[in-house]
Amino acid sequence: AEEDARPLGRRNGRSRTTATAGASPAIVATAPAGKLVVAGDTAYVRNLVRQLLDGRVTAEAPLDRSLTEASLRVLIALLEPPKDSESIRRRRQVLLAKEGVCTVALMMGACEDSQLYQLGMRLTIALLTGGNVPVQKIMYKTLSAGTIEAFDGSSGSWMGGIKRR
């Protein structure tokens, strides 16, 4: 295992490990051969992203600010690797991008709500830090699709939100 991780025990016959990058032990796991992945088969991240994607504010479903902000901070923290671990960051960026985090970041960046906008921009920066080409391609494809709607229910697009700022 990587020197930046500590063992957590075994689950379903697989070794579990957590990185010390400030993430919860339930969030980061080590796959065989010491490759860091998120939440043993990505279940935790997949669920978190799904809740954010499905949790867009509507008249019937008001904003749960504390849960939304906490979820975004978890995703941002996952993209901040331990010192001297650029390869870990790159693997996490690709994994999170494939799970839909680019869409979440753009939805938040389209918000009129300043706090959600700022967290969306921090998440976008964390995803794109280091020039990870596969993540750039996913981000571009997501942005080019033109289907991003603001999470807070405000009108407008991601580009419109950026121009307003």
Side-chain angles (χ1 to χ4, degrees), residues 16-48:
R16 296 186 318 162
T17 318
T18 185
T20 56
S24 164
I27 297 170
V28 181
T30 301
K35 292 184 179 178
L36 285 178
V37 295
V38 181
D41 301 329
T42 70
Y44 179 85
V45 169
R46 186 173 293 129
N47 185 40
L48 184 61

Side-chain angles (χ1 to χ4, degrees), residues 92-126:
R92 288 182 188 174
Q93 286 171 326
V94 171
L95 181 64
L96 269 64
K98 286 180 179 179
E99 290 299 328
V101 174
C102 291
T103 301
V104 170
L106 294 172
M107 285 174 63
M108 297 303 166
C111 291
E112 288 181 10
D113 181 286
S114 292
Q115 184 65 21
L116 295 179
Y117 168 81
Q118 289 173 358
L119 288 167
M121 290 296 101
R122 284 182 54 204
L123 184 56
T124 301
I125 290 166

Side-chain angles (χ1 to χ4, degrees), residues 60-76:
E60 300 81 35
L63 174 66
D64 184 342
R65 179 172 298 282
S66 61
L67 179 62
T68 301
E69 290 178 5
S71 298
L72 291 169
R73 285 188 175 96
V74 166
L75 292 173
I76 292 166

